[in-house]
Amino acid sequence: MNSSPLSITVTDAVVRFQVGNADGQTLKGFLASLKNGPGGRNVAPFVDALKGVSVKIVAGERVGLIGHNGAGKSTLLKVMAGIYPPVTGTAVTRGHVCPLFEFATGFEYHRSGWENIRIRGMLLGMTPDEIEAKLPEIAAFSELGNFLDYPVRTYSTGMFVRLAFAVSTAVNPEILLLDEVMGAGDLSFTEKANKRMREFMDQGKILVFSSHSMELLTEYCNRTIWMDHGVIREDGPTADVVQHYKNSVLSPARV
């Protein structure tokens, strides 16, 4: 376990994706590419998903991320998780991180729920003994019952979320990164998830939560970052940032 104070520090981070290349392009794309670059060479286009983003999050903070689709919220979460390294700038996360997004990642579709609990637990840094000790708790929390005996390829989206959330939060992480997962379960499971989230936050750990739900952000987060086309538009108290974001959505001509 990291003995340093919990923190996430992102400094001038740029994340760039290549969105096209000469391989496998269509005839239309090839003809269009003749206009690009010296000598008519095809120049692969890039997009900057993050453009010099800087943010510091410390122990006890509950930070929301809002913005339109493609604004950079998920990319910023993946930078914090160490999944996307910035092409320039730095990202340093101190503490045991548990990312809970793209919940199907790490699942073996032909294996049972029980087997996938063990696989996902190991991916999250648990030892085999720790996983076996927590199996009953994880199974009970997921409420999947006999479905744990079946291959997860038979699971619905909601069942995936139940299993992923049950395993990930059983790890007792110091930093929890969430991306739009809380709304995918039924009412009873959502209440259990809410209770576990409150217990997590009461321990003074770090939560970063990306959502389009202003209600969930207001409930969970005391600080919110508004992402807009790869930059931070606003960073402040959740009530203020949410209101400004709502105003921009309702009256886009005024911003």
Side-chain angles (χ1 to χ4, degrees):
M1 189 68 68
N2 196 323
S3 60
S4 301
L6 302 183
S7 66
I8 301 172
T9 306
V10 179
T11 306
D12 297 325
V14 173
V15 175
R16 181 170 298 148
F17 299 120
Q18 183 173 328
V19 295
N21 55 53
D23 297 330
Q25 65 180 331
T26 63
L27 175 60
K28 181 179 178 181
F30 172 75
L31 294 174
S33 74
L34 295 180
K35 301 178 182 179
N36 299 327
R41 288 179 298 144
N42 184 24
V43 178
F46 294 86
V47 60
D48 285 349
L50 294 183
K51 306 170 184 177
V53 168
S54 295
V55 61
K56 176 71 177 284
I57 302 172
V58 298
E61 287 197 285
R62 306 185 300 276
V63 181
L65 298 177
I66 58 173
H68 59 80
N69 290 331
K73 305 184 301 298
S74 294
T75 301
L76 181 55
L77 279 177
K78 289 174 183 175
V79 167
M80 293 175 177
I83 296 172
Y84 289 165
V87 294
T88 62
T90 60
V92 178
T93 299
R94 300 187 185 279
H96 182 197
V97 179
C98 178
L100 189 51
F101 40 83
E102 294 184 352
F103 48 83
T105 300
F107 281 105
E108 294 287 342
Y109 283 83
H110 64 286
R111 296 182 182 272
S112 71
W114 293 112
E115 292 173 298
N116 274 282
I117 290 174
R118 296 182 174 95
I119 293 168
R120 193 174 184 90
M122 293 184 68
L123 288 174
L124 292 171
M126 299 171 71
T127 67
D129 286 345
E130 288 173 333
I131 296 170
E132 293 304 314
K134 286 183 174 288
L135 270 178
E137 172 195 336
I138 293 169
F141 191 91
S142 75
E143 298 181 348
L144 290 175
N146 292 335
F147 281 105
L148 290 170
D149 297 323
Y150 298 119
V152 299
R153 67 172 181 269
T154 64
Y155 286 13
S156 66
T157 297
M159 293 166 72
F160 264 119
V161 171
R162 284 170 175 263
L163 192 57
F165 189 90
V167 179
S168 298
T169 55
V171 175
N172 196 25
E174 296 174 310
I175 299 172
L176 187 60
L177 307 178
L178 294 173
D179 192 2
E180 290 286 5
V181 299
M182 297 299 291
D186 59 32
L187 182 59
S188 64
F189 183 78
T190 299
E191 285 302 314
K192 288 178 61 174
N194 287 340
K195 183 176 183 292
R196 179 162 285 190
M197 290 284 291
R198 287 189 288 270
E199 292 170 352
F200 173 87
M201 292 183 292
D202 287 344
Q203 297 176 44
K205 300 178 180 181
I206 290 176
L207 169 71
V208 186
F209 180 33
S210 169
S211 181
H212 290 290
S213 169
M214 302 300 104
E215 292 77 14
L216 286 176
L217 286 171
T218 302
E219 177 180 355
Y220 286 121
C221 303
N222 52 15
R223 170 186 172 192
T224 291
I225 297 170
W226 174 4
M227 296 296 298
D228 187 11
H229 294 93
V231 301
I232 294 177
R233 175 84 168 263
E234 188 174 349
D235 180 353
T238 293
D240 295 341
V241 176
V242 165
Q243 188 58 56
H244 297 161
Y245 177 69
K246 286 181 177 179
N247 291 343
S248 76
V249 171
L250 295 174
S251 304
R254 293 164 48 191
V255 298

